[in-house]
Amino acid sequence: MDPLEIIANVKCVFPFFQPIFSADEHRIIGYEVLGRYRSEQEVVSLGPFFQDETIPEEYRLEVDNAVLKKALDKSLSLEEDVLLFINRDADLIMYDHGEQLLDILLQYQEKGFSLNRIVIEITEKNYSGTMDHLDHLLNYYKTYGIKIAVDKLGADSTQLDRIGQLAPNILKVDLKALRSNTVQQSFHDILYSISLLSRKIGATLLFENIEMEFQLQFAWRNGGRYYQGFYLQQPSPDFIDRDILKTKLRQKCHQFISYEKKKLESFYQFTDQFNQRMQQFVGKNKNQLQNDLLMELAERLKNIAFRLYICDDEGFQQSPNIFYSDNHWQVQNEYLHKNWSWRPYFLENIMKMKSIKKGILSDLYTDIETGEMIRTFSFPLREDEYVFIDISYSFLFEHEGLL
């Protein structure tokens, strides 16, 4: 579409609305406003127009504001708890220091549209201005009750260092990357960081570009409260029944819960069985020398584990590593006396084992040396001694509920 045609016919731009669904109510909680242009032949997206930096900012801003006004006019009929998500490019919003946008919103506040229902989705990719100036403007918006969402997380992880500083209300995670096997693990790592940060700052996770059921399940499993994408509902020029997917989402939620409960049941069964196995082994071999005990345990676990070692309750390694490589166990003395108390949850797990007198199976994580996803089973061995057993990915893969 020729940009000049759009600029000359601003009256032909109008909004589409894409529903956003909630995990807790299974209904529509808001709509994202998307720009469209109606030519004589077809309706086209205005996305490429807004992203075209060769078009002067004032023209793009004029079109953007025209779409917004029409969206707000239509949104006056919505229930008073429905949110309206407004996309704004960081460079474009800073062109006039956000004045036109705020003026428009204040006009509609006078018409009865509360500003605490407005969510500004800010996209900072390729932003050329000063971050402090942008943050000042967004924080100013927040004083009016306007909510701020940081957009396109997952596709671009460079924004993570700014989230804590800005403290947005919503973090919007793009699930496109989940369809690519080549970036899947790195995406999981990024998402884990986003999830931790969102919890720390009290932000809500919104997953977008959900186009298949497994992406919805992924979003649900990873703490997503809000969902958006073609799998749920495509954008349209009209608002729809808020409960249109209530039955479907409840059914999917039930399926996801059942699946997770089975996984957790398998996880706890494995942990209980491993604990029983370790208790029997330690009871029979508690008088053995430390290295002899560790080597015998390694032989018994060679189809499960690839690394074993013993630490004291302060994290100092009391034994060498026993590492399985080239079809036999190797002794790695260079790890003796290293301290691992700096590792996340290390001391917490030590104190937990002291309290419950049982072993603990860790969550999934990437091993630094092998680069594989593993779990570690830690077990109280003797007074102030704990054995750590790194379980191989191949074993986890073969046992349902452990991956």
Side-chain angles (χ1 to χ4, degrees):
M1 177 61 62
D2 184 357
L4 292 177
E5 179 182 339
I6 296 172
I7 295 168
N9 296 278
V10 176
K11 64 181 183 297
C12 295
V13 303
F14 65 101
F16 260 35
F17 302 92
Q18 185 167 29
I20 296 168
F21 295 83
S22 73
D24 43 9
E25 295 185 84
H26 302 138
R27 67 195 312 238
I28 294 171
I29 55 88
Y31 291 91
E32 179 179 355
V33 178
L34 304 172
R36 296 291 187 266
Y37 176 81
R38 181 180 286 108
S39 68
E40 293 181 358
Q41 295 81 24
E42 59 182 344
V43 172
V44 296
S45 169
L46 286 172
F49 175 85
F50 293 131
Q51 295 165 12
D52 188 346
E53 295 181 1
T54 65
I55 302 172
E57 285 92 339
E58 62 265 32
Y59 295 130
R60 286 186 284 155
L61 200 56
E62 179 187 359
V63 172
D64 218 354
N65 289 337
V67 173
L68 175 59
K69 289 177 183 178
K70 291 182 179 181
L72 286 165
D73 282 335
K74 200 159 189 173
S75 299
L76 290 172
S77 64
L78 288 170
E79 294 179 60
E80 293 184 356
D81 62 333
V82 178
L83 304 175
L84 198 66
F85 289 70
I86 302 168
N87 285 294
R88 277 297 184 271
D89 176 83
D91 275 313
L92 207 55
I93 202 173
M94 291 301 294
Y95 172 73
D96 68 341
H97 304 288
E99 291 181 5
Q100 293 183 50
L101 174 58
L102 184 57
D103 286 345
I104 293 170
L105 295 178
L106 290 173
Q107 290 172 24
Y108 281 87
Q109 183 182 43
E110 293 178 359
K111 297 179 181 181
F113 197 99
S114 174
L115 294 193
N116 61 19
R117 296 169 57 194
I118 297 293
V119 181
I120 296 177
E121 296 184 20
I122 193 74
T123 302
E124 301 170 1
K125 189 174 183 181
N126 301 323
Y127 174 55
S128 58
T130 303
M131 285 297 182
D132 286 344
H133 293 167
L134 177 62
D135 287 351
H136 178 76
L137 173 63
L138 297 178
N139 283 319
Y140 178 62
Y141 280 165
K142 288 166 73 174
T143 65
Y144 285 90
I146 296 169
K147 297 176 175 61
I148 302 299
V150 175
D151 199 9
K152 302 302 180 187
L153 292 174
D156 180 12
S157 62
T158 58
Q159 297 165 294
L160 293 182
D161 60 347
R162 295 198 56 254
I163 293 175
Q165 177 183 346
L166 180 59
N169 307 94
I170 296 172
L171 304 181
K172 196 166 185 181
V173 181
D174 189 345
L175 286 186
K176 279 184 181 177
L178 198 61
R179 298 198 297 269
S180 171
N181 291 329
T182 57
V183 298
Q184 196 171 48
Q185 187 51 54
S186 62
F187 178 83
H188 278 76
D189 295 339
I190 292 170
L191 179 60
Y192 181 70
S193 299
I194 294 171
S195 298
L196 288 178
L197 194 51
S198 69
R199 186 178 178 187
K200 290 287 186 182
I201 66 175
T204 296
L205 285 180
L206 189 163
F207 286 83
E208 66 176 334
N209 283 314
I210 295 175
E211 298 182 357
M212 289 171 274
E213 181 178 321
F214 85 91
Q215 291 174 310
L216 178 62
Q217 183 174 12
F218 179 90
W220 174 86
R221 189 172 63 243
N222 286 278
R225 185 182 183 185
Y226 298 152
Y227 312 132
Q228 179 183 13
F230 286 2
Y231 174 76
L232 300 168
Q233 201 74 28
Q234 295 197 22
S236 72
D238 300 307
F239 302 124
I240 58 176
D241 178 6
R242 296 183 68 181
D243 294 325
I244 190 171
L245 292 184
K246 200 174 192 74
T247 300
K248 177 181 177 179
L249 289 176
R250 283 189 172 182
Q251 290 173 345
K252 295 302 177 186
C253 184
H254 176 72
Q255 291 175 16
F256 300 159
I257 291 171
S258 297
Y259 177 77
E260 289 300 317
K261 286 170 71 175
K262 287 180 181 177
K263 281 189 66 175
L264 288 169
E265 186 178 1
S266 298
F267 175 89
Y268 288 118
Q269 282 181 351
F270 175 81
T271 303
D272 287 343
Q273 291 168 1
F274 214 133
N275 263 303
Q276 292 174 16
R277 186 171 182 177
M278 288 298 300
Q279 287 167 356
Q280 292 174 0
F281 174 83
V282 172
K284 293 179 180 178
N285 298 276
K286 59 184 177 181
N287 295 323
Q288 273 191 310
L289 294 175
Q290 188 182 74
N291 286 4
D292 292 340
L293 182 147
L294 198 58
M295 189 59 76
E296 183 170 343
L297 180 59
E299 283 296 328
R300 297 191 181 199
L301 298 177
K302 66 181 179 181
N303 295 324
I304 299 176
F306 68 94
R307 185 194 293 120
L308 298 90
Y309 55 96
I310 296 171
C311 290
D312 65 17
D313 62 351
E314 293 188 348
F316 287 96
Q317 192 158 329
Q318 302 297 303
S319 74
N321 276 2
I322 308 298
F323 187 81
Y324 194 76
S325 180
D326 298 326
N327 297 318
H328 70 281
W329 291 101
Q330 301 176 6
V331 177
Q332 299 175 320
N333 287 301
E334 63 268 26
Y335 288 90
L336 193 61
H337 305 309
K338 287 195 174 187
N339 184 268
W340 306 113
S341 60
W342 55 269
R343 286 179 170 174
Y345 309 113
F346 186 94
L347 292 177
E348 180 181 339
N349 287 339
I350 290 290
M351 297 310 296
K352 187 174 181 179
M353 285 188 287
K354 276 192 173 185
S355 175
I356 65 175
K357 311 297 183 185
K358 289 183 179 180
I360 297 172
L361 186 61
S362 76
D363 59 359
L364 279 169
Y365 67 96
T366 303
D367 183 65
I368 294 175
E369 291 188 13
T370 65
E372 290 189 337
M373 295 296 293
I374 69 167
R375 291 184 188 269
T376 296
F377 186 85
S378 46
F379 186 84
L381 193 59
R382 295 166 175 158
E383 184 68 25
D384 295 332
E385 283 188 349
Y386 301 83
V387 61
F388 293 83
I389 303 165
D390 290 338
I391 301 173
S392 67
Y393 176 84
S394 59
F395 178 85
L396 299 176
F397 181 79
E398 293 171 357
H399 291 77
E400 186 178 0
L402 295 184
L403 272 183

